[in-house]
Amino acid sequence: MTTGPRQTPDVAVSEELFAPVAKGVELCYQTFGDPDDEPLLLVMGLGGPMTWWDPQLCRLLAARGFYVIRYDNRDTGRSSRVGARVGRTALVRAFAGGRTRPPYTLDDLAEDALGLLDHLGLESAHIVGVSMGGMIVQTMAIAQPKRVRSLTSIMSTTGKRTVGWQHPALLPSLLANRGAGREAYVKASAALWKLIGSPGFPQTDEQVAARAEETYDRGVSPEGVVRQMLAILHQPNRGPRLRSVTVPTLVVHGLADKMVHVSGGRATAAAVPGAELLLIEGMGHDMPEPLFETFAAGIRRTADRARARG
């Protein structure tokens, strides 16, 4: 396994742009590389803005022949906020398996991603998703298979309740009131990343704080995170439908992931015919810099399988 990034390649990087994708929903996005290269859509997870796709990783992917597109999901970063209010009582009820009505679903988030491809004039793309983003790209591949060239699902799960569970110790942190203001957000984020980050590839306190500060400054929405969590909690078990996915697929999971247990990755790979499963020792629920080359090589390898099919 390669565990060290090369020097960051020099590639074209766009300004942050905006795409209307649904009624009342506009996504903020950015591109890396040559528009004539193979399109690669990057989909981030719960509460994560597109900047959590590190620019260095995006440049590595562009240098490998991809036209890289990263974006903020609705309710994240600079993209549109959905106005529906959801109380934490509803969230706790959903955690317990009770009935609630989410303002939107993973299907809606998948439609947002497809709408961005429409806006860019792209009939299809390679798609990569992390955590909730993995759930979104799996949903895209099931719903619109002709629009997906290859699929990479990272630290995600199938939606089946008996796999990909969270470590019980995380629940208080996920439901805690993070307080108001930049300092409170940074402090709470640092505490959470200490719990879920990669023990084999630890980040410094300064790195964690810098990412939290950048995230806060782009725009955070505690209510938006709750709405996204409800969408996750109401996801169906995609396992049976994933058996219809025929595009080349890579499933990546850390063996030290406390947010989404590795059983979720194993179940995803088992459900998709011919999927490659890449398990990484010491990786938690983040994408540490020493693994950028590993991620880039795996995504390129999977895309090459699709290209070989013609």
Side-chain angles (χ1 to χ4, degrees):
M1 179 187 302
T2 304
T3 57
R6 297 176 294 186
Q7 185 175 359
T8 304
D10 185 17
V11 301
V13 182
S14 78
E15 299 295 324
E16 293 191 7
L17 305 167
F18 292 87
V21 297
K23 184 178 180 180
V25 179
E26 190 175 60
L27 300 184
C28 181
Y29 71 96
Q30 187 177 37
T31 66
F32 294 74
D34 187 337
D36 291 332
D37 284 343
E38 297 173 72
L40 176 69
L41 184 69
L42 304 179
V43 188
M44 188 38 70
L46 175 69
M50 66 179 176
T51 50
W52 285 10
W53 291 105
D54 193 286
Q56 181 173 321
L57 176 57
C58 294
R59 288 185 172 92
L60 284 174
L61 289 164
R64 289 177 179 264
F66 293 113
Y67 178 52
V68 179
I69 307 142
R70 65 177 187 174
Y71 72 97
D72 294 330
N73 284 303
R74 64 168 73 181
D75 272 334
T76 305
R78 300 181 67 192
S79 289
S80 297
R81 302 289 186 264
V82 177
R85 293 185 61 83
V86 177
R88 290 185 178 271
T89 300
L91 189 61
V92 173
R93 187 183 305 122
F95 263 115
R99 288 193 174 188
T100 56
R101 178 172 293 183
Y104 52 80
T105 66
L106 289 179
D107 288 331
D108 296 317
L109 295 174
E111 284 296 322
D112 287 351
L114 292 166
L116 177 55
L117 295 183
D118 290 338
H119 176 80
L120 292 168
L122 298 170
E123 292 185 0
S124 63
H126 303 285
I127 56 176
V128 180
V130 166
S131 195
M132 182 186 78
M135 303 168 194
I136 293 170
V137 297
Q138 290 173 31
T139 302
M140 292 171 68
I142 291 168
Q144 296 285 345
K146 292 183 179 179
R147 306 202 65 182
V148 177
R149 301 187 188 189
S150 72
L151 168 66
T152 300
S153 179
I154 303 174
M155 50 191 172
S156 193
T157 187
T158 63
K160 187 177 181 179
R161 287 272 181 149
T162 55
V163 298
W165 57 83
Q166 293 171 347
H167 194 287
L170 298 180
L171 188 57
S173 295
L174 293 172
L175 295 178
N177 187 334
R178 300 189 177 218
R182 192 172 191 259
E183 184 176 349
Y185 177 85
V186 172
K187 182 178 180 181
S189 293
L192 180 60
W193 286 110
K194 281 186 179 296
L195 290 174
I196 68 174
S198 297
F201 309 94
Q203 297 185 66
T204 66
D205 292 344
E206 291 76 16
Q207 288 174 316
V208 172
R211 180 169 69 172
E213 289 166 356
E214 180 184 51
T215 301
Y216 185 86
D217 292 342
R218 278 188 62 78
V220 296
S221 171
E223 296 84 3
V225 172
V226 172
R227 289 189 286 267
Q228 290 182 357
M229 289 178 75
L230 272 181
I232 292 170
L233 290 169
H234 283 80
Q235 68 182 305
N237 174 14
R238 288 178 299 280
R241 291 187 297 159
L242 283 171
R243 301 192 186 286
S244 69
V245 174
T246 59
V247 296
T249 298
L250 170 67
V251 178
V252 182
H253 218 108
L255 291 169
D257 193 334
K258 292 182 179 178
M259 180 67 84
V260 180
H261 189 267
V262 66
S263 57
R266 289 192 171 109
T268 304
V272 179
E276 176 189 353
L277 176 61
L278 175 60
L279 301 178
I280 302 178
E281 189 74 41
M283 177 181 161
H285 202 72
D286 60 359
M287 299 183 72
E289 182 179 333
L291 293 176
F292 285 177
E293 284 284 357
T294 299
F295 299 139
I299 292 166
R300 180 68 265 175
R301 180 171 65 250
T302 308
D304 286 344
R305 288 171 56 199
R307 190 163 58 175
R309 290 184 174 188

